[in-house]
Amino acid sequence: MMSDAPLALYIHIPFCRTRCRYCDFNTYAGSQGLVPAYCGALAQEARFWAAALGTPEVATIYFGGGTPSLLPVPEVQGLLGAVRDAFPVAPATEISLEANPGTVDEGYLAGLRAVGVNRLSLGVQSFQGRFLRLLGRGHSAAQAREAVAAARRAGGDNLGLDLIYGLPGQSLGDWRADLGAVLALGPEHLSLYALEVAEGTPLAADLAQGRLPAPDPDLAADMYLLAEESLAQAGYLHYELSNWARPGRECRHNLAYWRNGPYLGLGAGAHSWLGGMRFANVSRPEDYIRLAHALAEARPARPGAMAALLAVAPWVAERETISARLELVETVMMGLRLVAGLGLEAFRERFGVGVAAAFPGAVEELGAQGLLETAQGHLRLTPRGRLLGNQVFSRLLSSGL
Ligand code: SF4
């Protein structure tokens, strides 16, 4: 019933010490007392899905949040043990964990490595105190540098750092300084995100009430170009619109998303894409714990159709059947985020049609405008197309879902 493709497994940890001013993720401050019960519920959910799906192989594991580095090492070990008991997990599986610089030290990071975490993603966001305060990050630039040094001393050899650009009041010179600072730390991976102002956040209120200058999208585009240039000079491979890596250090878990492969999300608010359906769990950790524990006795005896499985998974709050056409469109949208582009042969094998035929007129038109190109068996955005990605995506969508 399910595809045999290996699974990308996401584990959501919805706890943070404090809430950053720009954040609209599903995360809660002051709820850490729930951690033991929450981890128990995650283990239940892992067992449910292993039985339901016929124990597919897990190719990657990613602890995201929230702040997964708030989990004590024994809890991470327990969760990995539960996953390994439930699913076949290859020894070389990429196991990533997102960490907040203010929450880690060498002993903790060595402990994570000892229990199998082999990739760390550190949310640095900026190296300048005024921007860290503006974002409400709750850690300093010195703590970020110390976290990187601690990760190295603990033996970490696959370290990703995240930065945000396009901040209110941030100049091109400020951004150049951040790029210099991050490159000096020599991470294996870099994720650079343009600030998105999410409605309802304190940052959105600051901007709406004029307490902060509005971000300038043209300046953000210049910052993106500067990053592309600086990181290329430093030997990083630009492999996805917002992601760069040393060759061979691309994030394999996220590559599964961009290839529109199957993924299973465990935990409060986690999303999954499996068996022709996309679905999401209840958001509040308390509800998730109650509902996942309630299912302890009702695990499916054997795999079945996804809609039937979801009917006995009361912690799943939203579900949507994805039509073949929508899957095709989403595969193109995600695949074009990769700098190498969308593999044309793999696409034809998966959908039984070529990309150009699937979007009549649009691919040719975008090619003539210099926004899309074909190279080495892939359809990809040109450098100009990367800056005008939204225009490309809306033209493709206008040729019909
Ligand atoms: S640490 Fe991350 S998830 Fe937590 S509040 Fe800040 S931005 Fe949101």
Side-chain angles (χ1 to χ4, degrees):
M1 73 75 233
M2 253 20 101
S3 102
D4 291 333
L7 267 188
L9 184 71
Y10 174 83
I11 302 176
H12 189 68
I13 307 300
F15 307 112
C16 288
R17 273 193 186 153
T18 55
R19 184 114 190 157
C20 301
R21 297 180 62 73
Y22 61 101
C23 179
D24 70 341
F25 302 144
N26 185 42
T27 190
Y28 303 84
S31 298
Q32 284 179 64
L34 295 174
V35 163
Y38 185 77
C39 290
L42 286 170
Q44 291 285 8
E45 197 188 0
R47 285 192 282 274
F48 171 86
W49 283 115
L53 302 174
T55 59
E57 188 187 31
V58 166
T60 58
I61 301 173
Y62 192 103
F63 289 90
T67 305
S69 54
L70 289 179
L71 288 185
V73 171
E75 305 285 2
V76 176
Q77 183 177 25
L79 286 172
L80 288 173
V83 169
R84 288 191 180 106
D85 286 347
F87 297 94
V89 178
T93 297
E94 176 189 273
I95 304 178
S96 305
L97 184 138
E98 289 179 351
N100 192 320
T103 63
V104 296
D105 60 21
E106 183 182 341
Y108 176 76
L109 296 171
L112 288 182
R113 277 186 67 75
V115 300
V117 174
N118 52 27
R119 184 173 181 279
L120 194 73
S121 176
L122 265 179
V124 172
Q125 317 313 1
S126 172
F127 286 93
Q128 298 182 41
R130 67 188 163 116
F131 294 120
L132 290 169
R133 284 190 292 280
L134 178 154
L135 293 170
R137 283 295 297 176
H139 61 80
S140 65
Q143 281 174 305
R145 289 191 173 89
E146 175 46 30
V148 171
R152 295 304 193 199
R153 288 195 302 273
D157 60 1
N158 201 2
L159 182 60
L161 302 182
D162 292 5
L163 290 181
I164 303 179
Y165 63 93
L167 301 170
Q170 187 183 31
S171 68
L172 199 58
D174 292 327
W175 177 235
R176 186 177 285 111
D178 266 0
L179 289 170
V182 86
L183 288 173
L185 295 172
E188 281 70 34
H189 190 281
L190 278 161
S191 299
L192 309 180
Y193 298 111
L195 177 70
E196 284 186 19
V197 180
E199 259 179 57
T201 57
L203 183 71
D206 286 346
L207 289 164
Q209 288 160 24
R211 288 192 292 270
L212 289 173
D216 172 350
D218 291 336
L219 180 55
D222 288 344
M223 291 179 177
Y224 185 78
L225 291 172
L226 178 63
E228 279 194 309
E229 190 184 310
S230 313
L231 271 55
Q233 276 170 11
Y236 286 87
L237 184 73
H238 190 186
Y239 75 101
E240 193 272 345
L241 290 180
S242 306
N243 287 277
W244 286 256
R246 293 277 183 216
R249 297 309 191 121
E250 299 88 346
C251 177
R252 295 192 339 237
H253 182 83
N254 287 341
L255 279 171
Y257 295 149
W258 296 315
R259 290 176 180 146
N260 206 16
Y263 57 85
L264 173 64
L266 305 181
H271 287 68
S272 302
W273 157 231
L274 275 177
M277 295 194 74
R278 186 156 46 221
F279 49 95
N281 290 348
V282 290
S283 298
R284 292 181 64 244
E286 293 89 340
D287 294 338
Y288 172 76
I289 290 167
R290 179 171 46 80
L291 292 165
H293 279 310
L295 203 86
E297 306 305 320
R299 295 205 298 276
R302 58 194 165 77
M306 182 53 72
L309 291 171
L310 293 181
V312 296
W315 61 86
V316 174
E318 295 166 29
R319 61 210 74 192
E320 180 189 9
T321 300
I322 303 297
S323 68
R325 177 66 189 176
L326 182 54
E327 180 180 343
L328 178 153
V329 170
E330 290 181 347
T331 301
V332 173
M333 299 295 163
M334 299 300 281
L336 287 179
R337 293 192 59 88
L338 292 169
V339 174
L342 175 78
L344 293 172
E345 202 42 53
F347 181 90
R348 183 182 287 279
E349 265 175 38
R350 181 166 172 180
F351 297 104
V353 63
V355 184
F359 298 91
V363 172
E364 293 83 353
E365 186 184 310
L366 291 163
Q369 290 168 359
L371 300 175
L372 276 183
E373 64 187 3
T374 304
Q376 290 147 8
H378 287 67
L379 179 72
R380 65 186 188 192
L381 294 170
T382 62
R384 200 165 84 84
R386 289 206 284 273
L387 283 174
L388 300 172
N390 287 342
Q391 194 174 312
V392 175
F393 297 142
S394 55
R395 174 65 188 93
L396 289 170
L397 283 174
S398 73
S399 76
L401 269 179

